């Protein structure tokens, strides 16, 4: 399984940029495909570059294309006034010589033009500077008949020999590195005549950059760059300007960062121009790069948190887990012993999502499954498979079933679908008729039109979804029907070959027949080195916040319908199995984030949550997200399993009511009964799970604690600790000790 937040390439929807540039909601009075999108300021920008091409690649929404600078050294800097401080200096009368009145050719940046310098008592050429200057290097191309000396004269008239050039250096551009200050004059002297093609000088470290013109002054608080310099930059930085003349520093960047780097500004700035600038190392043929630049206000691509939404379901009803046929045992679940498979995971979930492969039911999508034959002959594709037995075992264990009907190009290539709409209609009709609650056996509560079928073109998937939704609803109106996992934040993830953008794959027609959105969200952010890491769910840059875009899309286009978060979680070590990729967190941290992540989603109004995954698997990313170890580890429970078990034991029957506090000090939520009475609080510090700090938070009057518990996953029961909350009868104020570990407070009822 994979996170929604992973960039794709090559934009697919031709009109997306113009539409988002205008971003006119009124244009979509009935249906707005881009309702969830927070456009980057750069989507309507223009770019100039210090060298190379125009730099347009840095705002083309494609992280695999890039701007590349020219190489300033050895001779690329000659024609650039920003880099060559001697460029055209001789055209302004600052150059003299012993025998030539025409000196402009010697500093014109052209290695093919020259001046012949002659003299009776030796030949000389000099540049007189108006102000004392510092220099890093001089470059000279000449042809001599006798040794040529290069002198630098400082303000006190002391001279320094910088270099001696001989006939062996003729017609070569020779660079001399120096560290000189207070230089007032440069002089070349030879006992014989010489031909001077060019003299150039560098006074400051060489810089190459791209400048993005945002079109108007913007308040900037969130900047994303992909700017790796290929090892050719000593430093990199972000600069801002309101006039493209005076620049101010915004942030230093790591020039070695190879992935996206997010820069959040504690104090947003106002700028019309943004510059990504590399300071190069002094090396011949060194070039630098920028791949992409995106800019937003302080809330970035996800936008602001919406107002809290009171839950219509209990915590227990919301929490679920991802599973599959046999739960890793390789046999039908009705053969498992008590406490195995669905019996085990019903301790931490009330519903389970099944990866139900379409190609396990039929060998061709045009074939219509006949589930009534499973008892005698299995499915048409697998003569041993009986979904009735499998799902009956899940339901017997107390798990309601969501079937994610998986299909992908590898198993069911687009070319074999004779009629995508009709294939999907027939399949979904047969499935809902057999498993649905109205006319079927009631084993399946919800069904999805795919898990992550992102390798099909959007037009193809849109046909499948429409047929699937209409077929399922025609068979059983009470069957909950969802699209595959999609996202509403990044339209440029939609490509010619596939994608996952809600606005491209859900149509206004299919929206009438689906019951909500299906989303996958994991909590990643890029660190200062551009490395993607797993972070806490409250992290302001976490990719988990893309659910805010989904909420906006849902509210605009599917008002009143559900949001199912059918995959979320963190990879961690545990159960004797190591976790080594950059997104891994510790086993302890996974447990804390599981509880806090559930709170985050529930506070936002998520109707269902399915943790990915029930157990560890094989491979890299997502292979260590299990609540238990893998089959090889005997499905040993990880701390996260016990943490969720404890959460359900204490808050399982409660409803989320409101937010008491969400700031850097603490996040505190109210939970209570169906009548809206606050009976419990849950609180924690929004910090890394490895942060052991504890802070005191004072609750408003009226929230007197009866008892308090930690939920760390140390045990499957909540851990009572009377020292966590103290009450002052005189002031009626409760002082609560909060840390990265969630604390549940049961309140005294009046």
């Amino acid at each position: 399984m994979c996170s929604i937040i992973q960039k794709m390439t090559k934009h697919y929807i031709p009109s997306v940029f113009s539409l988002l540039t205008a971003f006119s909601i009124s244009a979509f009075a009935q249906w707005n495909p881009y309702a969830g999108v927070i456009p980057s300021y750069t989507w309507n920008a223009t770019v100039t570059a210090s060298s190379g091409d125009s730099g347009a690649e840095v705002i083309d929404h494609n992280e695999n294309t890039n701007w590349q600078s020219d190489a300033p050294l050895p001779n690329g800097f000659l024609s650039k006034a920003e880099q060559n401080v001697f460029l055209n200096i001789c055209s302004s009368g600052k150059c003299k010589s012993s025998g030539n009145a025409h000196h402009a050719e010697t500093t014109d940046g052209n290695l093919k033009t020259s001046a012949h310098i002659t003299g009776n008592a030796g030949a000389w050429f000099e540049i007189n500077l108006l102000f004392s200057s510092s220099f890093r290097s001089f470059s000279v191309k000449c042809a001599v008949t006798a040794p040529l000396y290069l002198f630098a004269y400082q303000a006190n008239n002391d001279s320094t020999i910088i270099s001696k050039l001989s006939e062996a250096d003729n017609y070569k551009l020779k660079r001399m590195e120096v560290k000189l200050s207070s230089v007032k004059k440069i002089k070349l002297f030879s006992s014989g005549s010489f031909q001077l093609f060019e003299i150039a000088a560098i006074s400051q470290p060489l810089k190459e950059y791209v400048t993005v013109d945002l079109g108007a002054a913007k308040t900037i608080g969130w900047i994303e760059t992909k700017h790796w310099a290929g090892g050719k930059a000593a430093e990199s930085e972000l600069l801002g300007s309101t006039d493209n003349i005076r620049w101010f520093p915004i942030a230093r960047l790591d020039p070695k960062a190879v992935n996206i780097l997010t820069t959040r500004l504690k104090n947003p700035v106002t700028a019309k121009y943004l510059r990504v600038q590399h300071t190069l190392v002094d090396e011949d043929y060194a070039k630098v790069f920028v791949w992409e630049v995106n800019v937003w206000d302080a809330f970035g691509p996800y936008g602001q948190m919406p107002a809290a939404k009171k839950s219509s379901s209990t915590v227990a009803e919301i929490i679920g887990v991802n599973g599959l046929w046999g739960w890793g045992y390789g046999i039908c679940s009705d053969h498992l012993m008590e406490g195995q498979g669905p019996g085990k995971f019903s301790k931490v979930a009330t519903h389970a999502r099944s990866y139900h492969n379409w190609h396990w039911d039929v060998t061709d999508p045009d074939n219509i499954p006949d589930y009534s034959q499973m008892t005698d002959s299995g499915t048409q594709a697998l003569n041993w498979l009986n979904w009735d037995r499998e799902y009956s075992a899940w339901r017997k264990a107390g798990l309601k079933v969501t079937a994610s009907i998986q299909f992908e190009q590898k198993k069911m290539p687009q070319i074999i679908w004779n009629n995508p709409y009709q294939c999907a209609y027939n399949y979904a009709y047969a499935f809902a008729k057999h498993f649905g609650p109205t006319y079927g056996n009631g084993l399946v509560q919800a069904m999805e039109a795919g898990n992550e079928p992102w390798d099909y073109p959007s037009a193809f998937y849109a046909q499948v979804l429409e047929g699937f939704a209409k077929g399922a609803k025609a068979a059983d109106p009470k069957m909950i029907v969802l699209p595959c996992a999609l996202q509403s934040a990044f339209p440029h993830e939609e490509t010619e070959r596939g994608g996952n953008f809600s606005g491209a794959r859900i149509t206004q027609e299919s929206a009438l027949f689906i019951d909500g959105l299906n989303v996958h969200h994991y909590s990643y952010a890029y660190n200062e080195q551009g490395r993607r890491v797993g972070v806490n769910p409250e992290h302001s840059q976490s990719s988990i916040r893309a659910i805010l875009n989904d909420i906006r899309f849902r509210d605009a286009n599917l008002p009143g319908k559900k949001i199912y978060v059918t995959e979320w979680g963190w990879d961690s070590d545990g159960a004797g199995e190591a976790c080594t990729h950059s997104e891994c967190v510790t086993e302890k941290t996974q447990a804390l984030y599981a509880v806090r992540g559930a709170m985050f989603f529930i506070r936002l109004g998520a109707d269902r949550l399915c943790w990915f995954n029930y157990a560890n698997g094989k491979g890299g990313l997502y292979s260590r997200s299990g609540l238990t170890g893998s089959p090889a580890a005997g499905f040993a429970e990880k701390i996260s399993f016990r943490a969720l078990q404890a959460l359900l034991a204490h808050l399982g029957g409660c409803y989320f009511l409101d937010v008491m506090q969400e700031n850097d000090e603490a996040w505190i939520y109210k939970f209570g009964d169906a009548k809206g009475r606050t009976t419990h609080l849950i609180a924690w510090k929004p910090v890394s799970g490895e942060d052991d700090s504890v802070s005191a938070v004072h609750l408003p009057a009226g929230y007197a604690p009866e008892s308090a518990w930690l939920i760390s996953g140390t045990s499957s029961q909540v851990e009572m600790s009377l020292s966590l909350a103290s009450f002052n009868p005189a002031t009626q104020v409760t002082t609560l000790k909060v840390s990265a570990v969630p604390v549940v407070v049961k309140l005294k009822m009046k």
Side-chain angles (χ1 to χ4, degrees):
M1 302 307 112
C2 53
S3 166
I4 284 286
I5 308 302
Q6 56 181 3
K7 304 297 184 183
M8 296 185 180
T9 62
K10 197 174 182 183
H11 39 275
Y12 173 64
I13 310 173
S15 61
V16 68
F17 309 121
S18 58
L19 287 171
L20 286 170
T21 295
F23 208 66
S24 173
I25 300 299
S26 61
F28 301 96
Q30 298 294 320
W31 180 259
N32 182 1
Y34 307 102
V37 179
I38 305 292
S40 165
Y41 295 150
T42 66
W43 293 3
N44 190 31
T46 56
V47 182
T48 56
S50 56
S51 66
D53 57 25
S54 66
E57 293 87 352
V58 307
I59 58 170
D60 67 352
H61 324 286
N62 185 345
E63 290 171 15
N64 293 314
T65 61
N66 63 279
W67 163 79
Q68 176 181 278
S69 74
D70 293 337
L73 298 177
N75 55 17
F77 78 100
L78 295 176
S79 59
K80 298 178 182 177
E82 286 183 324
Q83 297 176 342
N84 178 7
V85 295
F86 284 176
L87 183 64
N88 294 322
I89 195 172
C90 289
S91 298
S92 57
K94 296 184 179 66
C95 301
K96 299 178 181 179
S97 74
S98 58
N100 191 318
H102 304 288
H103 305 122
E105 294 88 349
T106 63
T107 60
D108 63 357
N110 187 342
L111 292 175
K112 295 181 180 180
T113 59
S114 63
H116 290 272
I117 311 299
T118 59
N120 295 326
W124 57 268
F125 171 91
E126 65 182 28
I127 298 175
N128 292 283
L129 306 174
L130 289 177
F131 305 100
S132 297
S133 302
S134 299
F135 291 93
R136 293 173 59 87
S137 71
F138 296 97
S139 295
V140 177
K141 179 182 177 182
C142 61
V144 303
T145 57
L148 176 70
Y149 295 89
L150 175 61
F151 295 90
Y153 289 82
Q154 295 178 291
N156 60 6
N157 213 34
D158 286 345
S159 63
T160 301
I161 297 178
I162 296 171
S163 183
K164 173 185 175 182
L165 301 175
S166 65
E167 291 182 64
D169 300 312
N170 283 353
Y171 306 106
K172 301 174 184 177
L173 181 66
K174 302 291 290 185
R175 178 163 58 95
M176 292 74 75
E177 294 185 0
V178 297
K179 289 185 178 180
L180 292 174
S181 59
S182 300
V183 175
K184 289 286 292 183
K185 181 172 69 174
I186 300 297
K187 185 172 184 176
L188 295 173
F189 178 82
S190 176
S191 60
S193 62
F194 59 92
Q195 184 178 8
L196 181 60
F197 290 86
E198 197 73 19
I199 180 169
I202 296 172
S203 64
Q204 299 294 327
L206 293 169
K207 301 178 187 296
E208 295 284 350
Y209 54 82
V210 289
T211 301
V212 182
D213 180 353
L214 302 177
K218 305 286 187 181
T219 300
I220 297 172
W222 182 306
I223 306 166
E224 287 185 356
T225 54
K226 187 176 181 182
H227 59 266
W228 179 64
K232 304 302 181 182
E235 64 178 17
S236 302
E237 58 187 328
L238 286 169
L239 304 172
S241 173
T242 57
D243 57 10
N244 206 22
I245 299 172
R246 295 176 295 274
W247 293 88
F248 56 85
I250 294 177
R252 295 177 68 87
L253 303 173
D254 182 352
K256 298 179 182 178
V258 297
N259 294 311
I260 297 170
L261 192 68
T262 300
T263 300
R264 293 290 309 280
L265 304 182
K266 185 176 181 180
N267 298 308
V269 299
T270 299
K272 182 176 183 286
Y273 302 91
L274 185 74
R275 177 173 289 179
V276 181
Q277 179 170 278
H278 294 297
T279 300
L280 280 72
V281 296
D282 291 331
E283 182 179 311
D284 285 352
Y285 308 109
K287 299 180 180 181
V288 288
F289 313 86
V290 177
W291 270 258
E292 202 72 18
V293 180
N294 281 296
V295 184
W296 292 274
D297 64 14
F299 300 102
Y302 310 124
Q304 298 187 54
M305 291 275 281
K309 180 180 179 180
K310 182 179 178 296
S311 177
S312 59
S313 300
T314 65
V315 172
E317 290 169 336
I318 294 172
I319 301 294
V321 67
N322 277 281
L324 75 168
W325 181 92
W327 295 82
Y329 286 93
I331 57 175
C332 186
S333 292
D334 65 352
H335 286 320
L336 297 178
M337 298 176 62
E338 185 177 353
Q340 293 181 331
K344 183 180 188 68
F345 291 93
S346 62
K347 297 176 183 178
V348 295
T350 58
H351 56 92
R353 178 172 178 258
S354 169
Y355 293 103
H356 184 121
N357 289 306
W358 192 326
H359 70 273
W360 284 7
D361 292 347
V362 290
T363 56
D364 188 294
D366 297 298
N367 296 341
I368 302 174
D370 183 358
Y371 296 108
S372 67
Q373 302 298 312
M374 288 188 299
T375 301
D376 297 324
S377 56
T379 66
Q380 185 258 314
L382 298 172
N383 60 15
W384 51 265
L385 180 58
N386 186 337
W387 289 112
D388 287 346
R389 289 174 53 195
E390 182 67 23
Y391 292 147
S392 291
W394 294 29
R395 292 303 302 270
K396 183 179 179 181
L399 296 174
K400 295 181 179 179
V401 179
T402 293
S404 180
I405 310 301
Q406 290 198 120
F407 56 98
E408 58 182 349
Q409 287 272 19
K410 183 178 180 180
K411 299 293 185 181
M412 299 176 69
Q414 181 180 345
I415 194 172
I416 72 171
W417 299 62
N418 292 342
N419 185 327
Y421 172 91
Q422 197 62 50
C423 290
Y425 184 99
N426 292 342
Y427 179 92
Y429 185 94
F431 189 96
K433 195 75 171 179
H434 182 84
F435 295 105
T438 305
Y439 307 108
N441 55 27
L443 291 178
V444 177
Q445 181 190 43
M447 55 192 294
E448 304 170 12
N451 173 39
E452 294 176 352
W454 303 337
D455 53 358
Y456 294 99
S458 61
F460 174 86
Y461 179 77
Q463 294 180 65
V464 172
L465 175 59
E466 184 176 338
F468 191 97
K470 287 182 176 179
K473 287 298 186 182
D476 193 332
K478 292 186 178 180
M479 175 68 82
I480 296 173
V481 181
L482 300 170
C484 71
L486 298 171
Q487 56 84 24
S488 309
F490 304 108
H492 309 111
E493 289 190 8
E494 198 60 52
T495 75
E496 291 181 356
R497 296 179 181 178
N500 56 26
F501 181 54
S502 300
R505 296 185 167 246
I506 300 175
T507 66
Q508 192 167 5
E509 178 67 17
S510 62
L512 298 173
F513 296 89
I514 60 176
D515 293 289
L517 291 182
N518 175 8
V519 298
H520 293 173
H521 289 300
Y522 294 87
S523 188
Y524 304 131
Y526 290 93
N527 63 18
E528 292 182 356
Q529 291 72 47
R531 192 181 189 201
R532 194 174 76 161
V533 296
V535 295
N536 53 297
E538 313 85 10
H539 194 293
S540 60
Q541 295 166 216
S542 171
S543 55
I544 207 170
R545 287 182 176 248
I547 192 175
L548 304 183
N549 306 79
D550 300 323
I551 291 170
R552 283 189 293 273
F553 181 91
R554 186 274 310 273
D555 290 348
N557 297 313
L558 303 163
K561 296 195 176 184
K562 301 178 183 298
I563 289 186
Y564 277 37
V565 183
T566 58
E567 284 189 19
W568 67 288
W570 284 262
D571 280 25
S572 82
D573 55 3
E577 296 174 320
C579 191
T580 59
H581 40 276
S582 67
E583 294 84 357
C584 294
V585 298
T586 67
E587 184 180 8
K588 163 196 167 185
T589 294
Q590 183 196 48
L592 304 186
Y593 290 175
V595 175
R596 287 158 50 179
M599 295 297 99
F600 175 82
F601 284 125
I602 291 172
R603 168 257 190 270
L604 290 172
D607 296 277
R608 293 291 184 271
L609 302 174
C610 282
W611 178 275
F612 184 86
N613 197 12
Y614 73 99
N616 288 346
K618 297 179 179 179
L621 186 62
Y622 308 109
S623 68
R624 291 293 181 264
S625 59
L627 296 174
T628 73
S630 67
F635 299 105
E637 295 175 3
K638 294 167 71 172
I639 299 175
S640 54
F641 185 100
R642 297 192 293 272
L644 288 179
Q645 193 174 4
L647 175 66
L648 295 185
H650 205 66
L651 287 182
C654 295
Y655 297 82
F656 170 78
L657 300 180
D658 203 357
V659 170
M660 176 179 286
Q661 178 176 320
E662 278 180 342
N663 55 32
D664 292 342
E665 178 186 53
W667 285 34
I668 308 175
Y669 292 169
K670 300 178 183 179
F671 283 82
D673 59 24
K675 295 180 179 180
R677 295 179 300 180
T678 302
T679 59
H680 294 77
L681 303 178
I682 185 169
W684 67 92
K685 290 181 69 172
V687 296
S688 163
E690 301 306 301
D691 187 328
D692 293 326
S693 62
V694 179
S695 300
V697 177
H698 303 293
L699 305 181
Y703 293 93
E706 178 180 303
S707 52
W709 296 262
L710 288 173
I711 303 182
S712 67
T714 302
S715 71
S716 61
Q717 301 300 314
V718 286
E719 305 146 49
M720 182 177 291
S721 177
L722 298 177
S723 64
L724 292 171
S726 58
F727 181 67
N728 186 328
T731 62
Q732 295 292 300
V733 171
T734 296
T735 300
L736 186 64
K737 293 181 180 179
V738 294
S739 67
V741 182
V743 55
V744 175
V745 179
K746 184 178 180 181
L747 302 175
K748 290 181 179 178
M749 302 305 294
K750 297 179 181 179

